[in-house]
Amino acid sequence: MMKRLFIANRGEIALRILQTANRLGLVTILGVSEADRGSLPAQIADEMVVIGPATSAESYLSVERVVAAAKAARADAVHPGYGFLSENATFAESVTAAGIIFVGPDVSSLDSMGDKLMARKVGVAAGLPVVPGGESADKAAARAQAEITGYPLLLKAVSGGGGRGMKRVDRAAALDGQVDMAMAEAQAAFGDSRIYVERYISKGRHIEVQILGDGETTLHLGTRDCSIQRRFQKLVEEAPAFGIPEQKHNALRNAAVRLAQFLHYRGAGTVEFLVDSETFDFYFIEMNARIQVEHPVTEAVTDLDLIEQQLLIADGQKVSLTQERVEFSGHAIEARINAEDWEQGFRPSPGRVRAARWPAGPGIRVDTHIENGGVISPFYDSLIGKLIVSGRDRAEAVARLGSALATLEIEGIATTAGLQRRIVEDPRFIHGDVDTRFFEGLGRG
Amino acid sequence: MSRDLIFTSEDVAEIVAILDKTPYARLEVRTRRFVLRVIRSGDGWTQEIESIGDSAATESLAPSSAVVAEEAGRSAVRAPLPGTFYRAPQPGARPFVEVGDRVQPDTVIGIIETMKLMTAMPAHCSGIIDEIIVQDATLVEVDAVLMRVKLE
């Protein structure tokens, strides 16, 4: 039985994991960087260990330091959260080798989904449709591949993630320059310059399926629509994905389950698809072998605690649910609030939060690590909190999001709350007419 | 082990549901280490959390914000953002500028890294680099003086 849980993350997700772990009676140990010693999660955890300096590379991203800290703290399990080391196979292996449970899938699943090209191959092997495209080792290969896929197309980093390292190319003339840039960026960001070419689906929706598996049983916990993005970074997420013919919706969920079964997947995972918003044909993109930022919308419509499910499965228990017993009700929407000045080119806005007044009330959930006087560090990403609203149907959730955003007030730093207000007032959003180009059409000024 | 957890969203929703039926506009709940404030705001409610005592995040964002007086004929190049200031495009590379170099308003004199984003910093004035105040890979506050330029 798991007793001492080491949390290898920071910010709102560290707090989120702490809350479930506390409820389950686990002793919690939080590994923090020097910059996060005074953070809210650090105050809540039963024990706190400083793993290194503020720079992520020497703290949250250091396999050696995190594993050493977990060992020293006599942890019997490590939860990696999202980002940082959550999908790092070397980390999962080192944790396991130290006799500690890694709260995540088997290393074989991390390997299979580790790079996007590998994920494509596995997806094809599992019988899933993929977006036309392929690897391009150099400009000549990219040109040849572009001939086949056509324009516009996307260049993606093989080792990329979270939207980083992606470039859209609209014309053949721009291809060479963009290939150079994409390869340079991929090398700088991921230490791997390999890229591949993919057809760009112009009217597409980003729809994903939440999966839960114990290696034998696999279930889905429904779909999420995450089409509203800026530069491939998600801004708004909803559950369930709406306005999809039932037959296609079923096919989508079944495809995700098929992939997870193919992998004998253990834990919580997300299978991402690009869905043509006119024909509803869908293409497998990748699988994220970890908890996602947007997991609360799924929790809101299923009444399940996904962190609890992760911990139970990691502890060797079988999934006690059956697909029939997963009940879906209502609609939920999450709006990410980032410390960015969206009116000044999304310039980062770190600093001290004088006051953080979040909305409160029935149907409102706030996941944040920022208290009054809290510090948004310049060292980490800009997510300061997530506002999650739910309603009986999408219209009620949209209305609730609008009124909740109206009361939200963060003083001391610039945030994207104003952008979210603009989104919730957009007629396209209100009517559910969204695709991945929604942001480009958002009224400015 | 005694725990002092913060409130869950369900807790807060319940508090609001009760308060909503009363004329009260504000409720403060104190635990050993935290205070939760639920406050009426228009037709809705807000919540805020604050640590009690010295456990709050009190550390300063960055240490090296030297306030230096402006002098005639010299202009200060200041950090537009807090973050890590780099004098060179990558570790081991030649710095963008050295003392004695001539700069134009758009000459890049360094990079500030904030929240995983790199922002190039132009000199914003014409002249000769007179003094370099902040060294490579140093954490700086917003408006920290990085360099001084002798105006021409």
Side-chain angles (χ1 to χ4, degrees):
Chain A
M1 278 291 285
M2 195 187 285
K3 287 195 179 63
R4 292 175 61 81
L5 179 68
F6 187 94
I7 297 162
N9 215 299
R10 64 178 304 282
E12 65 88 20
I13 194 64
L15 193 57
R16 168 71 192 83
I17 297 163
L18 276 164
Q19 285 178 323
T20 291
N22 278 326
R23 188 167 58 72
L24 298 178
L26 298 172
V27 175
T28 53
I29 309 137
L30 184 67
V32 298
S33 75
E34 290 286 356
D36 284 332
R37 294 178 77 124
S39 69
L40 198 50
Q43 295 175 61
I44 297 285
D46 293 320
E47 296 170 27
M48 175 183 87
V49 191
V50 176
I51 48 176
T55 321
S56 305
E58 296 170 71
S59 49
Y60 299 109
L61 280 172
S62 164
V63 171
E64 206 176 307
R65 289 189 185 205
V66 174
V67 173
K71 265 169 58 177
R74 293 173 292 111
D76 44 32
V78 171
H79 196 306
Y82 54 67
F84 293 127
L85 297 172
S86 60
E87 292 177 281
N88 184 314
T90 309
F91 178 64
E93 267 167 1
S94 310
V95 168
T96 311
I100 302 173
I101 297 167
F102 176 72
V103 182
D106 297 337
V107 171
S108 62
S109 296
L110 290 175
D111 282 337
S112 299
M113 292 297 138
D115 77 48
K116 296 195 175 195
L117 215 53
M118 175 71 90
R120 268 179 77 97
K121 281 185 196 138
V122 175
V124 170
L128 272 60
V130 298
V131 182
E135 185 170 359
S136 310
D138 51 33
K139 270 182 238 179
R143 270 188 226 121
Q145 191 58 250
E147 285 291 308
I148 302 165
T149 57
Y151 293 87
L153 56 80
L154 280 181
L155 299 177
K156 295 185 171 185
V158 170
S159 297
R164 283 173 232 286
M166 276 196 220
K167 300 233 170 283
R168 185 173 123 195
V169 187
D170 293 330
R171 299 165 292 117
L175 183 69
D176 283 7
Q178 292 290 324
V179 168
D180 280 340
M181 198 127 65
M183 292 180 95
E185 279 189 20
Q187 179 65 40
F190 312 108
D192 176 0
S193 68
R194 289 179 302 154
I195 59 164
Y196 66 103
V197 171
E198 218 175 69
R199 180 187 294 165
Y200 179 73
I201 312 275
S202 59
K203 285 275 282 177
R205 286 169 66 181
H206 177 114
I207 292 176
E208 55 189 35
V209 181
Q210 178 68 54
I211 287 296
L212 207 57
D214 60 17
E216 289 164 22
T217 307
T218 310
L219 340 148
H220 71 77
L221 302 181
T223 50
R224 295 187 286 255
D225 184 303
C226 313
S227 300
I228 302 184
Q229 308 183 350
R230 172 183 174 263
R231 295 192 180 168
F232 307 105
Q233 302 287 321
K234 295 167 186 168
L235 295 168
V236 176
E237 300 104 336
E238 310 191 30
F242 46 89
I244 299 171
E246 195 47 36
Q247 192 196 343
K248 289 281 187 183
H249 208 165
N250 262 332
L252 200 62
R253 292 179 290 221
N254 291 341
V257 169
R258 199 156 67 235
L259 176 67
Q261 273 167 345
F262 182 83
L263 294 169
H264 299 285
Y265 194 80
R266 275 183 76 237
T270 297
V271 185
E272 298 192 336
F273 295 94
L274 186 60
V275 179
D276 189 306
S277 50
E278 275 148 14
T279 64
F280 301 102
D281 288 337
F282 58 84
Y283 308 95
F284 166 64
I285 309 171
E286 62 177 318
M287 180 170 190
N288 293 317
R290 55 170 159 85
I291 195 75
Q292 305 241 141
V293 175
E294 60 270 26
H295 76 275
V297 290
T298 296
E299 294 185 326
V301 298
T302 59
D303 208 23
L304 290 167
D305 180 335
L306 290 186
I307 303 290
E308 177 180 10
Q309 295 296 324
Q310 283 190 298
L311 292 170
L312 293 177
I313 293 167
D315 209 12
Q317 298 193 28
K318 293 286 159 206
V319 171
S320 56
L321 283 163
T322 58
Q323 190 66 62
E324 295 69 41
R325 280 175 51 212
V326 179
E327 283 180 31
F328 299 94
S329 71
H331 193 90
I333 309 176
E334 171 179 283
R336 298 192 190 190
I337 308 296
N338 295 328
E340 290 168 12
D341 191 343
W342 68 282
E343 289 168 308
Q344 299 293 326
F346 288 81
R347 176 162 132 161
S349 180
R352 188 178 300 280
V353 174
R354 277 197 308 277
R357 283 185 285 276
W358 296 93
I364 296 175
R365 164 176 169 180
V366 176
D367 281 19
T368 178
H369 60 295
I370 297 302
E371 58 173 329
N372 288 352
V375 168
I376 312 292
S377 161
F379 291 103
Y380 311 109
D381 76 37
S382 61
L383 181 69
I384 65 165
K386 308 181 302 202
L387 168 62
I388 304 110
V389 296
S390 43
R392 276 164 300 184
D393 52 27
R394 186 168 188 274
E396 191 178 80
V398 168
R400 186 163 278 159
L401 180 61
S403 53
L405 283 168
T407 62
L408 193 160
E409 210 177 339
I410 309 285
E411 291 176 12
I413 57 161
T415 74
T416 52
L419 171 68
Q420 296 290 7
R421 286 184 196 113
R422 176 90 36 110
I423 291 172
V424 78
E425 285 163 8
D426 191 299
R428 294 171 303 158
F429 178 71
I430 294 167
H431 298 127
D433 178 20
V434 299
D435 59 52
T436 51
R437 294 173 80 171
F438 179 92
F439 182 81
E440 295 170 31
L442 198 64
R444 313 277 165 90
Chain B
M1 186 176 311
S2 74
R3 281 184 168 144
D4 191 9
L5 301 180
I6 58 169
F7 298 86
T8 65
S9 284
E10 290 84 35
D11 298 334
V12 176
E14 274 181 45
I15 292 171
V16 167
I18 294 166
L19 281 180
D20 215 24
K21 298 189 194 95
T22 73
Y24 293 107
R26 182 186 171 97
L27 177 80
E28 240 181 65
V29 186
R30 276 174 186 268
T31 63
R32 199 159 40 84
R33 289 187 298 174
F34 298 103
V35 51
L36 166 75
R37 276 186 216 104
V38 180
I39 301 165
R40 204 182 278 272
S41 165
D43 294 334
W45 293 83
T46 63
Q47 54 177 317
E48 55 184 70
I49 281 275
E50 212 168 285
S51 305
I52 296 170
D54 56 358
S55 54
T58 47
E59 32 192 308
S60 142
L61 253 186
S64 72
S65 169
V67 180
V68 190
E70 296 291 325
E71 297 158 40
R74 291 214 301 176
S75 176
V77 184
R78 293 171 184 273
L81 293 165
T84 308
F85 175 68
Y86 296 101
R87 286 193 52 206
Q90 57 205 43
R94 241 186 100 243
F96 291 103
V97 291
E98 295 283 11
V99 170
D101 284 0
R102 175 160 278 122
V103 294
Q104 300 295 323
D106 57 357
T107 307
V108 172
I109 60 105
I111 292 173
I112 297 245
E113 181 185 7
T114 299
M115 291 174 163
K116 300 181 187 170
L117 279 177
M118 302 283 194
T119 307
M121 288 214 27
H124 286 308
C125 60
S126 300
I128 290 169
I129 301 285
D130 199 34
E131 191 182 353
I132 290 171
I133 294 165
V134 175
Q135 289 314 305
D136 190 48
T138 308
L139 192 57
V140 294
E141 289 264 26
V142 66
D143 282 338
V145 176
L146 305 171
M147 295 183 189
R148 290 188 173 280
V149 177
K150 196 182 285 175
L151 296 173
E152 290 193 322

